[in-house]
Amino acid sequence: MKKNLCLALVASALLVPLGASATAVTDQMLEKASSNTHEVLSNGLGSEGERFSPLKAINAQNVSKLVPAWTMSFGGEKQRGQESQPLVHDGKMFVTASYSRIYAIDVKTGAKLWKYEHRLPEGIMPCCDVVNRGAALYDNLVIFGTLDAQLVALDQDTGKVVWKEKIDEYSAGFSSSAAPLIAKGLLLTGVSGGEFGIVGRVEARDPRTGKLVWVRPTVEGHMGYTFDKDGNKTENGISGTTNASWPGELWKTGGASTWLGGTFDPKTGLAYFGTGNPAPWNSHMRPGDNLYSCSTVALDVTTGKIVWSYQNTPNDAWDYDGANEFVTFDMDGKRVGGKADRNGFFYVNDAKTGKLINAFPFVKKITWAKSIDLTTGRPVYDDAVRPGNPAASADGKKGTVVFAVPSFLGGKNQMPMAYNPGTGLFYVPANEWGMEIWNEPVAYKKGGAYLGAGFTIKTVNDDYIGALRAINPKTGKIVWEVKNNAPLWGGVLTTGGGLVFYGTPEGYLKAMDASTGKELWKYQTGSGIVAPPITWSDGTTQYVAVVSGWGGAVPLWGGDVAKKVSFLEQGGSVWVFKLTK
Ligand code: CA
């Protein structure tokens, strides 16, 4: 009798989740996510990050008839900095919000199904607002990172926590805001905290349990490890050379945070992570290239080995984080990757080898370098635009002030670009601004800002800061541009309908003709947009969605520019659009 009861319980435990749960998200589904028009299964609309949908029910001829289908507020008192890309699966939308919140929404009606609000401790240290950029789906789980540097996996149907793992100490400056990446059955994440002298790394976990599989630091000299199922770690012999490209002990607190996460190309089997600034910002304290800061690193997903790296800004002195997304695409019969770097140059690298194929400016007034030498792959610096060494000043306290373009908030920052294989163009949300910057002495203190620099961001044009630019990766030509008064901080979506969608801090979601840049439609969402739009079709109707809610780094760090945009109102809501009859 007892045995039968036990069996019955086992049977029901097996049957209930099978009967009620969502369709499990598999590796096969994720590897084909870029061509799945019925769902949005990953960040980037496919792990390659092209942000292209072949859908064309909404197109240049009819986009003017786009109207709201529903909207949902994140609620709460703390509405700000909504940088999230929603996911759509099995009739549900999963969307993260500021302060480490996540919602499941009925994608037809906009009704909230469940929400999870992560309990954040006092003393979290996100550098650039309380943002989150999205979740990952795997099996029946939805997984996201939190501002206190944890990963949380929830059941897609119930919102119940299935596992929770700490990435690192938030009190040392670690946090997590990027969308996790799934590649070859592993959950790949980076870390935020480059302004606090943390050491960047890429981690691979079992997405079903959260247990570590391997970890690969992104500062030369630090050990990488492989973990067995009991959590015992062994050095995996992929740790680089201690001290190489770093003076003295600086590598121990070397930065190179992997704060924007990564992309994965099933065609190369490699995951691509960008790395942030070397720490501290004062470059005179760390002569050398400071590997692997301000770089793209390509990792073998199975082992964590860095297969190649390419450094966009060796010995960075301007906080030109190389964190930007490496978007893989086909060019001249080759698999390559495009990256619009924070330093103002657009790079095209061979996706398999890292060899530099092309590099050109995508903002117009770059001063720190004259060009990128395609033979050596290195920037041709203008030494007069490197902030001066404070040690060489009269009192040793402040080096020469220089004016550098772009500002440290970058020719492009966290807002993802899109690539349309139909037009062969990248659509890059760019910003034209500069900064006064100077260096000061600084010493590392755990949990303290580790910059050794002061700065003020300034405008460089009277009429605009932001510019959405259509860029030909082969020629480097800007095919069209649309200027924007405020700095652009949201991402881009492009479609087979010949459209480009993007949001502005002024609150508009806009649709442009992908070939000409002509504005075809816009809608005021009630707060600034700093997030990338998505699209999907339920089989009969195509939808476009975006999150609205002003915030992010600009109002916090923008100097003179922050004053210019202080009239913008904060918010937090999801908007979904469809064509009216
Ligand atoms: Ca940085």
Side-chain angles (χ1 to χ4, degrees), residues 318-520:
W318 308 270
D319 189 35
Y320 291 153
D321 286 26
N324 287 116
E325 69 281 10
F326 184 82
V327 178
T328 49
F329 66 108
D330 292 316
M331 190 174 99
D332 297 331
K334 249 199 183 126
R335 198 65 180 161
V336 300
K339 177 177 174 180
D341 197 272
R342 196 146 128 180
N343 69 19
F345 288 95
F346 192 105
Y347 299 81
V348 181
N349 294 80
D350 187 305
K352 287 188 187 131
T353 66
K355 187 181 182 312
L356 184 65
I357 294 168
N358 203 0
F360 50 85
F362 68 93
V363 295
K364 294 177 178 174
K365 295 184 175 175
I366 297 175
T367 60
W368 69 278
K370 291 161 188 157
S371 61
I372 307 298
D373 184 326
L374 290 181
T375 313
T376 63
R378 297 177 71 87
V380 181
Y381 294 102
D382 183 341
D383 291 334
V385 188
R386 182 175 292 271
N389 189 352
S393 68
D395 60 0
K397 288 187 179 151
K398 185 176 178 181
T400 323
V401 183
V402 300
F403 187 76
V405 179
S407 80
F408 69 90
L409 288 180
K412 179 173 159 309
N413 201 289
Q414 58 86 28
M415 54 287 195
M417 61 185 181
Y419 175 73
N420 189 321
T423 61
L425 300 175
F426 274 92
Y427 302 97
V428 182
N431 288 314
E432 299 273 357
W433 45 14
M435 63 179 165
E436 284 177 356
I437 181 168
W438 61 91
N439 286 161
E440 300 160 351
V442 66
Y444 175 76
K445 187 168 159 280
K446 186 182 168 184
Y450 188 45
L451 302 184
F455 42 79
T456 311
I457 291 186
K458 308 263 184 198
T459 56
V460 292
N461 297 301
D462 292 336
D463 56 335
Y464 76 104
I465 300 166
L468 181 71
R469 292 191 168 132
I471 292 175
N472 184 325
K474 288 189 203 183
T475 63
K477 259 184 85 168
I478 296 171
V479 177
W480 56 258
E481 70 172 0
V482 179
K483 292 173 181 173
N484 197 73
N485 183 46
L488 292 178
W489 210 256
V492 185
L493 164 74
T494 183
T495 72
L499 297 173
V500 174
F501 289 91
Y502 74 110
T504 69
E506 290 88 342
Y508 289 101
L509 180 65
K510 295 186 176 187
M512 324 300 281
D513 185 302
S515 301
T516 65
K518 187 181 171 209
E519 184 178 301
L520 302 171

Side-chain angles (χ1 to χ4, degrees), residues 278-290:
W281 286 16
N282 179 350
S283 69
H284 302 283
M285 292 171 62
R286 43 174 174 72
D289 281 355
N290 316 135

